[in-house]
Amino acid sequence: MEDTRQLINKYSSFIIHSGNKVSFWFDNWSGDEALYLAFPNIFSLVKDKFLSIAFHISPDGNWIFDFKRRLRNSEANQFANLLVRIGVSPPQLNDQFDTIRWSLGTNGVFSVKSLYAKLIEADGVADFPKYFIWNKIVPPNITFLLWCVVHGKLNTLDLLNRKGLNLDNCCIMCCNEAESVFHLLIHCKVAFKVWSSITPSNWAWTFPESVYDFAKCWNNAFQVGSSSVWNLIPTAVVCVLWRERNARIFERRHTFKTDNDLSLDAKSLVIV
């Protein structure tokens, strides 16, 4: 996937006025890419790489460059190409603020939505279970928890062991299997009872092998997105199970909740 910064530079264009707020080398103000990418050899010879366009223009209206040493013949040719790219004569400066336009937006204003759409255009997942994760009425920290769950990045015991810790891996909820994000939130007998208690009793369905597959199943088969209540169920169940798991591990005086208590907690979160 294309680097985010490169993508932003690629689809941003600058209108130079004062030249004080536009980086000569890093901002995409001339051509299709930033100058540090187009002319890496010349860029490596620049003493101060973070100067604005204004610092590269003399009072009499000529380009100014401060290199670490004199340019060799091959470098002089590249420098000539640089001048062709930016123009032999610098832009005329004035006292107005420099402005920037975002070419992916119809009004020229940057938006995360348009950037994200471009990022996933080539390498994204078309049917990503977004309603399983993103909900505007859910706090951002809980949304991030759901994101970690779907991507298998939650710090369950199996993942901590893969990161180099030497921990006894046993699910604190059922004490029968090794803990993983898939087991803890789907296949654990406690998790299964909570999910079953909050879904219709006449449903007969097999839990998938991974949280990602489960999210797609929830997102597609049950048409989540059409109901705000259904959108909140996965968030509520995951929060209740993860909170109880952490309380059992880290809180010495915590009284283990029963399966029914956890089911009631999940239902309460959905209703509230």
Side-chain angles (χ1 to χ4, degrees):
M1 182 176 290
E2 191 171 2
D3 181 78
T4 303
R5 178 164 185 167
Q6 293 181 17
L7 195 63
I8 292 175
N9 285 335
K10 182 177 180 180
Y11 292 99
S12 300
S13 59
F14 292 84
I15 301 175
I16 308 301
H17 290 289
S18 69
N20 291 318
K21 298 298 183 180
V22 181
S23 170
F24 181 89
W25 289 102
F26 293 102
D27 287 330
N28 185 25
W29 63 275
S30 177
D32 296 330
E33 60 182 348
L35 295 177
Y36 84 98
L37 295 171
F39 303 93
N41 295 333
I42 299 298
F43 174 72
S44 66
L45 298 176
V46 176
K47 286 185 178 180
D48 193 339
K49 298 177 171 57
F50 298 96
L51 294 178
S52 66
I53 290 179
F55 278 97
H56 283 82
I57 301 177
S58 67
D60 57 354
N62 294 309
W63 288 117
I64 301 174
F65 294 92
D66 190 10
F67 297 117
K68 299 175 183 178
R69 57 172 174 77
R70 297 182 63 179
L71 300 181
R72 301 188 179 97
N73 290 337
S74 59
E75 295 163 346
N77 292 332
Q78 296 176 33
F79 180 65
N81 292 331
L82 170 62
L83 292 177
V84 171
R85 169 82 167 268
I86 63 177
V88 177
S89 299
Q92 297 292 321
L93 303 182
N94 54 54
D95 295 332
Q96 299 180 32
F97 291 108
D98 300 317
T99 58
I100 183 173
R101 290 189 60 82
W102 178 245
S103 62
L104 295 181
T106 56
N107 58 357
V109 178
F110 173 83
S111 68
V112 175
K113 181 178 181 180
S114 61
L115 175 61
Y116 180 75
K118 198 64 181 179
L119 281 170
I120 67 172
E121 188 176 85
D123 303 303
V125 179
D127 59 345
F128 185 79
K130 58 183 180 180
Y131 290 116
F132 192 89
I133 302 175
W134 310 115
N135 193 315
K136 62 182 180 181
I137 66 175
V138 175
N141 61 321
I142 304 301
T143 298
F144 181 70
L145 172 65
L146 267 291
W147 186 93
C148 291
V149 167
V150 171
H151 288 277
K153 301 298 182 181
L154 201 63
N155 277 329
T156 47
L157 292 176
D158 64 325
L159 183 59
L160 292 175
N161 281 329
R162 290 201 298 271
K163 290 181 177 180
L165 299 179
N166 186 17
L167 302 173
D168 183 27
N169 189 354
C170 181
C171 175
I172 193 67
M173 303 296 284
C174 67
C175 300
N176 291 329
E177 303 289 341
E179 182 188 88
S180 67
V181 65
F182 313 125
H183 171 77
L184 178 67
L185 300 178
I186 296 181
H187 300 298
C188 175
K189 63 181 183 180
V190 176
F192 180 82
K193 289 181 180 179
V194 175
W195 283 109
S196 298
S197 70
I198 207 168
T199 53
S201 58
N202 61 343
W203 278 12
W205 52 304
T206 303
F207 282 86
E209 291 297 321
S210 70
V211 177
Y212 181 81
D213 291 335
F214 179 78
K216 289 180 63 176
C217 174
W218 190 272
N219 201 48
N220 298 328
F222 305 128
Q223 298 180 352
V224 180
S226 58
S227 169
S228 59
V229 174
W230 286 119
N231 293 348
L232 291 174
I233 289 177
T235 303
V237 173
V238 169
C239 284
V240 166
L241 293 173
W242 184 244
R243 184 170 56 194
E244 176 66 14
R245 177 262 191 193
N246 289 338
R248 292 186 182 187
I249 294 177
F250 300 111
E251 298 179 16
R252 293 184 178 180
R253 298 183 180 181
H254 176 69
T255 300
F256 287 18
K257 293 185 176 182
T258 65
D259 299 348
N260 290 333
D261 290 336
L262 295 175
S263 299
L264 289 175
D265 287 347
K267 293 176 182 178
S268 298
L269 283 179
V270 172
I271 296 174
V272 174

